[in-house]
């Protein structure tokens, strides 16, 4: 995510007062970038480090970045009763990086510095982003403290995997500032999807030919991921059924559960098992229409004669059609139509035909090809109802279009009430 995307997200949320708590981990330097992103998004950011954090990053850096004085103790400004004022006024409290020590203090209501005292006063949403050594993160004491915070409604982002202090690497790394900013700003969004559960498929299926080869497609899963993130930020719980998505692209959001699958049959099984009780089922996945009838248990070999192997294909189930025809789940069903158009019809002509064939409540049509539709590029969409009537259209980044699709879904959910 770029700084521009963060700014766009912040702009929709309006200016807010954000308190950014910083603890004394090696990742404290990243909090300066995080503060920058939040300020660029138009928010007023007050930085409250611990004394240990100031061992890592200087007070001057934090005060110059935030244009606010930087204190660590409730005794730094006793007449201002700072912890009460800052905690009371905050629209969002972020603690990033949060050390194991501060996570423990937050879980147990210990208030022995300005940050932890402010956290006890704050009634706003709280985002805690732990970063620590792998053993400290996996220690049952830390895990229990994190669970206590989550049970209390605090958002705790899972740490990332990668390089830690010194030569060590593993789970415990602070997620990138852009990701933290995106989650944080999402928490300031209107929660119009609170109380709903979305099941979203994303990515492209792989149909095995043998243990090392498959029939696949070029889908990266970016649109489905954008939908999942936007829906979670607007308050929905999301089951993301991820078909062969690059791990680096998968979202890290406390309201998103990721279910990795490979083939179309595995995808169908996962969608069906998540469907019951869901509010919305969305099929963005690019599903292979056919799969090899038999996949070899060992690798196919050339026999030297120049003859190519015969691979017989059989049709895969149409998962969207199945979800749209068996309504026992009671959810709104949304499909996607990836179209190129040809000499027999335009992208929209094919989209309208597909809307009628699939029977989904909404069908989102987008143009795909060698250079459009797949990957990190802008996209143009048209939203159709099940009869092929145009309900809306838009053009922009995948994140912006995800917002447009969710607006249409939110309207449809409202009309079902
Ligand atoms: N889809 C599905 N199961 C399939 C094929 C597609 O659930 N076996 C879903 C996709 O996830 C998407 C919608 O159907 O939501 C349309 O997919 P698309 O690939 O555009 O169309 P197809 O049905 O595969 O038809 P065609 O390839 O002939 O255009």
């Amino acid at each position: 995510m770029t700084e521009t995307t963060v700014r766009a997200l912040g702009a929709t949320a309006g200016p807010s007062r954000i308190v950014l708590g910083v603890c004394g981990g090696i990742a404290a330097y990243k909090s300066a970038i995080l503060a920058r992103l939040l300020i660029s998004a138009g928010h007023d950011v007050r930085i409250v480090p611990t004394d240990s954090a100031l061992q890592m990053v200087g007070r001057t850096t934090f005060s110059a970045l935030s244009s606010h004085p930087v204190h660590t103790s409730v005794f730094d400004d006793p007449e201002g009763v700072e912890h009460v004022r800052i905690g009371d006024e905050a629209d969002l409290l972020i603690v990033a990086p949060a050390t194991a020590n501060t996570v423990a203090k937050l879980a147990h209501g210990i208030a022995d510095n300005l940050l932890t005292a402010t956290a006890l006063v704050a009634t706003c949403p709280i985002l805690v982003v732990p970063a620590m050594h792998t053993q400290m993160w996996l220690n049952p004491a830390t895990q229990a403290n994190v669970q206590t915070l989550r049970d209390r409604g605090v958002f705790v982002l899972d740490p990332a995997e990668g390089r830690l202090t010194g030569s060590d690497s593993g789970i415990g790394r602070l997620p990138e500032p852009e990701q933290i900013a995106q989650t944080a700003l999402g928490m300031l969004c209107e929660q119009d999807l609170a109380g709903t559960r979305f099941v979203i498929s994303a990515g492209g299926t792989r149909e095995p030919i043998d243990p090392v080869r498959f029939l696949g497609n070029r889908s990266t899963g970016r649109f489905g991921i954008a939908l999942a993130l936007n829906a979670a930020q607007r308050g929905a719980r999301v089951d993301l059924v991820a078909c062969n998505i690059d791990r680096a692209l998968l979202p890290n959001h406390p309201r998103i559960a990721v279910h990795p699958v490979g083939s179309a049959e595995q995808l169908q099984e996962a969608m069906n098992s998540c469907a019951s009780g869901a509010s919305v089922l969305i099929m963005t996945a690019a599903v292979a229409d056919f799969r090899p009838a038999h996949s070899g248990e060992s690798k196919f070999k050339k026999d030297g004669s120049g003859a190519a192997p015969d691979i017989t294909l059989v049709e895969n189930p149409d998962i969207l059609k199945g979800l749209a025809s068996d309504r026992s789940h009671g959810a709104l069903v949304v499909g996607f139509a990836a179209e190129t158009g040809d000499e027999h019809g335009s992208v929209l002509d094919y989209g309208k035909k597909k809307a009628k064939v699939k029977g989904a409540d909404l069908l989102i049509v987008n143009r795909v090809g060698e250079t459009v539709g797949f990957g990190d590029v802008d996209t143009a969409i048209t939203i159709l109802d099940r009869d092929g009537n145009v309900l809306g259209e838009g053009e922009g980044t995948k994140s912006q279009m995800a917002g447009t699709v969710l607006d249409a879904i939110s309207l449809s959910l409202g009309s079902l009430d």
Side-chain angles (χ1 to χ4, degrees), residues 60-347:
T60 319
T61 304
F62 287 141
S63 60
L65 269 176
S66 66
S67 313
H68 283 295
V70 168
H71 298 143
T72 59
S73 159
V74 290
F75 304 112
D76 286 341
D77 177 19
E79 61 282 5
V81 205
E82 243 187 330
H83 60 294
V84 176
R85 186 167 48 80
I86 306 175
D88 244 357
E89 288 176 356
D91 298 306
L92 176 67
L93 169 65
I94 306 170
V95 186
T99 54
N101 189 35
T102 295
V103 167
K105 288 184 195 175
L106 294 173
H108 294 278
I110 294 169
D112 62 351
N113 58 27
L114 184 58
L115 171 58
T116 48
T118 303
L120 267 193
V121 172
T123 52
C124 62
I126 300 179
L127 172 65
V128 171
V129 194
M132 60 195 72
H133 239 71
T134 307
Q135 294 93 320
M136 295 173 86
W137 169 249
L138 295 178
N139 189 294
T142 305
Q143 290 298 308
N145 290 332
V146 165
Q147 195 53 50
T148 301
L149 292 175
R150 285 186 167 145
D151 291 345
R152 233 180 257 152
V154 171
F155 263 47
V156 183
L157 265 190
D158 282 332
E161 262 187 79
R163 189 80 192 269
L164 303 169
T165 325
S167 58
D168 288 350
S169 67
I171 188 161
R173 193 179 150 83
L174 190 77
E176 291 311 310
E178 289 80 4
Q179 192 194 349
I180 302 171
Q182 192 185 38
T183 305
L185 296 177
M187 291 172 72
L188 295 166
C189 289
E190 194 195 340
Q191 302 291 290
D192 63 326
L193 298 175
T196 63
R197 182 166 68 85
F198 280 56
V199 184
I200 302 175
S201 74
T205 64
R206 288 181 182 176
E207 310 303 323
I209 295 172
D210 68 17
V212 291
R213 303 183 182 95
F214 55 83
L215 295 179
N217 57 68
R218 291 153 50 86
S219 174
T220 57
R222 279 191 166 86
F223 203 95
I225 290 167
L227 274 173
L229 261 175
N230 270 261
Q233 285 166 351
R234 287 164 66 161
R237 278 190 304 125
V238 178
D239 286 295
L240 177 65
V241 183
C243 309
N244 309 298
I245 296 179
D246 184 344
R247 263 182 77 189
L249 293 179
L250 285 174
N252 175 4
H253 190 287
R255 274 198 286 263
I256 302 179
V258 178
H259 310 276
V261 295
S263 66
E265 285 179 308
Q266 290 169 354
L267 170 60
Q268 184 179 41
E269 205 180 308
M271 288 303 292
N272 288 342
S273 79
C274 290
S276 169
S279 321
V280 184
L281 306 173
I282 308 181
M283 284 294 299
T284 73
V287 186
D289 290 326
F290 300 95
R291 65 177 185 279
H294 307 285
S295 74
E297 285 185 6
S298 51
K299 196 180 158 199
F300 277 135
K301 293 282 189 195
K302 296 190 285 285
D303 64 8
S305 69
D310 280 332
I311 299 175
T312 308
L313 299 179
V314 292
E315 196 168 349
N316 266 328
D318 191 317
I319 304 166
L320 178 63
K321 231 174 172 177
L323 294 169
S325 63
D326 172 10
R327 293 294 180 146
S328 57
H329 48 69
L332 188 86
V333 178
V334 182
F336 273 72
E339 299 293 347
T340 57
D342 59 20
E343 65 280 14
H344 304 297
S346 68
V347 168

